[in-house]
């Protein structure tokens, strides 16, 4: 990839992050470029990799080039640089390294929009500088503790080696499964020592949160607090549900308008169906991606392609007949291009 082309792609990924959150990080760019998956970032943040570069699809020099291009783009936009340390979710809280051969400063800078209020900047800076949660992994396969040779339901990484809860001095903690956000939040607040429990999902290829390890007394105190204001929280959840539904309608309307602009030949009813389907909250579809929420042209096009693939081709029949997914996509490629061209023509 040429440097001008890379600069364009870096700018596109940065614009999406800036539009979505009002600030941009190097992590936003490399995941936007698809040089790293979010699961790789999770592995690195958990302290299970010496550097981020060893998990990337490109070499260290390429990462440094991208960081430089991000800096140039951010300065041209008048963004404010804030140096932000990255700390591992391990007991030693060691500083994370992006690369082995380069200085870390170019990668740590967060670029903040000048539109952010001072209060928001202060909260953001405090949140970013705060040490991440300790992470306990619920392993999928048999393992042994590097200290005692025993095993257990969870492991903590220290010095790049797994340790059981006893050796990590966490065996007095209780497991609180996910599902009750208020109880989890309050139990963590009450607990002097806690850890987030995650498990690797092979199908989705990400670490998923299972719950928390917290002190028994903290859990009891959190349960009392939740019982005391349960009715108030129920009313608040109902108000939040209505607000989210209104936001979804607004977002899907904006997406439908973007589809109509890019594909004026797409019938109005089909346009609405694509926007409602792709933009459904919690669906994980392309319409809920950060790029789509920023109404990125490429993401909107992908949502239209997904609709064409399932409704205007025999793609689903090919899959059901045993044709491999990538082969099936290759077979229908020409049909999708014809339909896209039809949708791009007005009328």
């Amino acid at each position: 990839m040429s440097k001008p082309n890379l600069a364009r792609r870096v700018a596109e990924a940065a614009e999406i992050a800036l539009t979505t959150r009002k600030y941009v990080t190097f992590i936003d760019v490399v995941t936007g470029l698809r040089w790293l998956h979010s699961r790789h970032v999770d592995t690195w943040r958990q302290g299970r990799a010496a550097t981020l570069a060893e998990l990337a699809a490109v070499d260290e020099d390429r990462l440094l080039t991208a960081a430089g291009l991000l800096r140039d783009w951010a300065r041209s936009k008048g963004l404010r640089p804030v140096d932000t340390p990255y700390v591992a979710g391990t007991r030693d809280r060691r500083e994370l390294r992006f690369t082995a051969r380069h200085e870390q400063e170019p990668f740590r800078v967060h670029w903040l929009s000048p539109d952010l209020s001072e209060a928001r900047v202060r909260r953001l800076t405090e949140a970013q500088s705060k040490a991440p949660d300790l992470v306990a992994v619920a392993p999928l396969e048999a393992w042994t503790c590097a200290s005692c040779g025993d095993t257990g339901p969870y492991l903590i990484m220290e010095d790049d080696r797994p340790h059981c809860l006893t050796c990590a001095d966490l065996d007095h903690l209780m497991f609180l499964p996910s599902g009750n956000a208020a109880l989890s939040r309050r139990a963590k607040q009450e607990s002097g020592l806690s850890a987030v429990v995650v498990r690797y999902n092979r199908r989705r290829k990400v670490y998923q949160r299972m719950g928390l390890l917290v002190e028994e007394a903290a859990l009891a105190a959190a349960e009392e607090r939740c019982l005391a204001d349960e009715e108030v929280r129920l009313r608040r959840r109902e108000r939040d549900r209505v607000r989210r539904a209104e936001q979804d309608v607004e977002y899907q309307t904006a997406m439908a308008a973007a589809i109509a602009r890019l594909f004026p030949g797409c019938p109005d009813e089909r346009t609405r169906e694509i926007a409602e389907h792709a933009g459904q909250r919690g669906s994980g579809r392309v319409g809920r991606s950060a790029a789509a929420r920023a109404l990125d042209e490429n993401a909107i096009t992908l949502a239209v392609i997904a609709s064409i693939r399932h409704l205007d081709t025999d793609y689903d029949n090919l899959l059901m007949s045993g044709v491999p997914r990538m082969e099936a996509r290759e077979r229908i490629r020409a049909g999708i291009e014809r339909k896209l061209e039809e949708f791009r023509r007005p009328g």
Side-chain angles (χ1 to χ4, degrees):
M1 188 189 306
S2 65
K3 191 168 183 179
N5 190 30
L6 178 57
R8 176 183 58 79
R9 291 187 59 201
V10 166
E12 290 173 352
E15 283 282 5
I16 291 170
L18 184 63
T19 302
T20 305
R21 296 186 318 201
K22 301 297 184 182
Y23 69 93
V24 186
T25 71
F26 174 74
I27 298 294
D28 294 327
V29 169
V30 291
T31 53
L33 293 172
R34 298 186 179 180
W35 290 353
L36 281 163
H37 193 278
S38 59
R39 66 177 180 273
H40 298 135
V41 178
D42 290 341
T43 298
W44 176 65
R45 294 301 298 265
Q46 292 166 15
R48 305 181 70 187
T51 67
L52 187 64
E54 68 185 54
L55 303 174
V58 297
D59 60 27
E60 292 190 0
D61 291 337
R62 201 64 167 162
L63 294 177
L64 184 63
T65 299
L69 292 171
L70 171 60
R71 178 200 59 216
D72 295 342
W73 172 87
R75 287 176 174 172
S76 71
K77 290 282 186 176
L79 303 187
R80 172 182 172 183
V82 175
D83 185 73
T84 307
Y86 282 75
V87 182
T90 55
R91 290 293 292 272
D92 58 5
R93 302 301 198 190
R94 69 178 181 274
E95 183 176 347
L96 290 167
R97 294 188 62 81
F98 290 81
T99 66
R101 296 188 293 108
H102 302 293
E103 293 295 326
Q104 306 304 297
E105 285 76 9
F107 308 102
R108 296 191 319 211
V109 176
H110 288 197
W111 298 95
L112 278 56
S113 168
D115 297 334
L116 285 175
S117 65
E118 284 302 317
R120 174 84 184 277
V121 171
R122 185 169 57 253
R123 289 195 302 269
L124 181 62
T125 303
E126 291 173 354
Q128 294 295 339
S129 59
K130 183 180 177 181
D133 294 320
L134 286 174
V135 177
V137 180
L140 300 177
E141 300 175 353
W143 69 282
T144 56
C145 175
S147 294
C148 67
D150 202 352
T151 188
Y154 313 112
L155 63 87
I156 295 281
M157 295 298 294
E158 291 185 0
D159 300 323
D160 298 328
R161 297 187 300 168
H163 293 74
C164 66
L165 296 188
T166 300
C167 293
D169 297 326
L170 297 175
D171 55 343
H172 64 293
L173 302 182
M174 296 183 60
F175 177 64
L176 172 62
S178 299
N180 187 326
L183 180 61
S184 296
R185 182 178 65 254
R186 289 170 173 177
K188 185 178 177 183
Q189 291 171 350
E190 298 281 352
S191 191
L193 184 62
S194 64
V196 176
V197 178
V198 299
R199 172 175 285 165
Y200 188 67
N201 184 317
R202 286 196 175 105
R203 183 177 62 83
R204 299 184 62 186
K205 298 182 179 179
V206 294
Y207 279 94
Q208 294 182 315
R209 182 171 176 147
M210 295 179 60
L212 293 171
L213 293 173
V214 295
E215 297 167 345
E216 185 175 1
L219 179 56
E223 288 173 339
E224 291 183 3
R225 290 174 59 186
C226 287
L227 287 173
D229 64 355
E230 184 175 7
E231 185 177 346
V232 173
R233 288 185 293 108
L234 284 173
R235 291 199 298 267
R236 184 183 300 132
R237 279 200 296 270
E238 178 59 23
R239 291 197 301 271
D240 289 344
R241 184 191 64 79
V242 172
R243 175 178 52 79
R244 287 193 298 269
E246 292 173 348
Q247 290 174 343
D248 285 349
V249 170
E250 293 176 359
Y251 167 58
Q252 291 169 2
T253 300
M255 179 183 283
I259 294 172
R261 176 175 55 81
L262 294 172
F263 301 95
C266 184
D268 292 343
E269 184 177 353
R270 180 74 175 272
T271 297
R272 288 194 298 271
E273 289 176 354
I274 294 173
E276 290 172 2
H277 179 78
Q280 182 178 346
R281 183 183 294 269
S283 65
R285 297 174 184 135
V286 66
R288 297 304 305 189
S289 66
R293 292 197 299 274
L295 300 180
D296 174 71
E297 182 174 325
N298 183 56
I300 296 298
T301 301
L302 289 176
V304 174
I305 289 175
S307 174
I308 295 172
R309 182 183 297 128
H310 294 292
L311 299 182
D312 300 293
T313 74
D314 59 350
Y315 177 71
D316 292 349
N317 292 333
L318 290 173
L319 293 183
M320 290 299 294
S321 65
V323 177
R325 182 170 61 89
M326 297 311 296
E327 180 181 340
R329 290 196 173 196
E330 187 61 34
R331 290 190 190 183
I332 65 171
R333 186 184 303 277
I336 288 179
E337 291 298 331
R338 286 194 297 271
K339 198 67 177 179
L340 284 174
E341 186 60 33
E342 176 186 327
F343 281 173
R344 288 189 177 106
R345 291 195 299 269

